[in-house]
């Protein structure tokens, strides 16, 4: 029997709980549970689509600036990555195809509007809710 656990060195999905570098979250019906304060304690929070909206604003800004064709990555902090999973944007199928390095996880073929992008979960970001678009070299588009 195949395991339902998907894991890498710095991420996992087990029994509906996603974990990126220690930032964890799970869906609980119409609410979410996250470890907002770090550690093991998970607290219930209301659903929000703030992270996907922030990414769409970045894409719109790049489009308005004539840079849409440069977008190859969405770079996110660890809590933003959890939010993308809880919003159903990152799925188990995406996680099965993820690759990683010491401080990042690359999740390919994530759809935003009509763009198929790689989401880079960057553990080195001080702001765990960080979101930005980046070019093919993973340089943030200004």
């Amino acid at each position: 029997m195949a395991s339902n656990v998907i894991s890498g060195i710095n991420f996992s999905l087990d029994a509906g709980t996603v974990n990126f570098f220690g930032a964890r979250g799970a869906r609980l019906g119409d609410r979410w549970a996250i470890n907002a304060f770090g550690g093991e304690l998970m607290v219930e929070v209301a659903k929000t689509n703030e992270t996907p909206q922030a990414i769409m604003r970045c894409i719109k800004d790049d489009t308005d600036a004539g840079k849409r064709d440069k977008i190859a990555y969405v770079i996110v902090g660890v809590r933003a990555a959890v939010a993308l999973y809880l919003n159903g944007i990152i799925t188990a199928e995406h996680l099965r195809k993820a690759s990683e390095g010491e401080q990042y996880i690359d999740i390919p073929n994530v759809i935003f509007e009509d763009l198929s992008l790689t989401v880079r979960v960057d553990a080195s970001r001080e702001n765990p809710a960080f979101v930005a678009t980046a070019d093919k070299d993973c340089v943030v588009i200004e």
Side-chain angles (χ1 to χ4, degrees), residues 18 67 81 95 105 110 140:
V18 72
K67 299 177 183 178
L95 293 176
I105 303 161
V110 180
V140 172

Side-chain angles (χ1 to χ4, degrees), residues 19-30:
N19 180 333
F20 296 107
F21 294 98
R24 295 181 299 120
R27 295 180 191 108
L28 302 173
D30 65 344

Side-chain angles (χ1 to χ4, degrees), residues 23-134:
R24 295 181 299 120
R27 295 180 191 108
L28 302 173
D30 65 344
R31 302 195 53 84
W32 295 341
I34 61 170
N35 66 338
F37 307 106
E40 294 301 312
L41 179 65
M42 301 266 288
V43 297
E44 273 192 51
V45 297
K47 287 180 168 181
T48 176
N49 60 2
E50 188 175 306
T51 298
Q53 288 175 347
I55 292 168
M56 294 313 297
R57 281 192 300 274
C58 289
I59 291 171
K60 181 184 180 317
D61 290 348
D62 293 344
T63 300
D64 291 350
K67 299 177 183 178
R68 184 181 179 95
D69 61 334
K70 293 182 188 251
I71 304 170
Y73 284 86
V74 172
I75 301 175
V76 298
V78 295
R79 297 245 181 269
V82 169
L84 289 176
Y85 172 78
L86 295 175
N87 273 288
I89 294 169
I90 292 175
T91 66
E93 280 306 308
H94 290 118
L95 293 176
R96 284 185 181 91
K97 296 174 184 167
S99 60
E100 59 189 313
E102 191 172 310
Q103 289 291 311
Y104 70 88
I105 303 161
D106 281 350
I107 305 166
N109 304 316
V110 180
I111 305 297
F112 297 93
E113 283 189 345
D114 59 343
L115 297 173
S116 177
L117 304 172
T118 297
V119 171
R120 173 163 283 190
V121 182
D122 185 346
S124 70
R125 297 288 170 177
E126 284 188 35
N127 177 358
F130 179 87
V131 299
T133 50

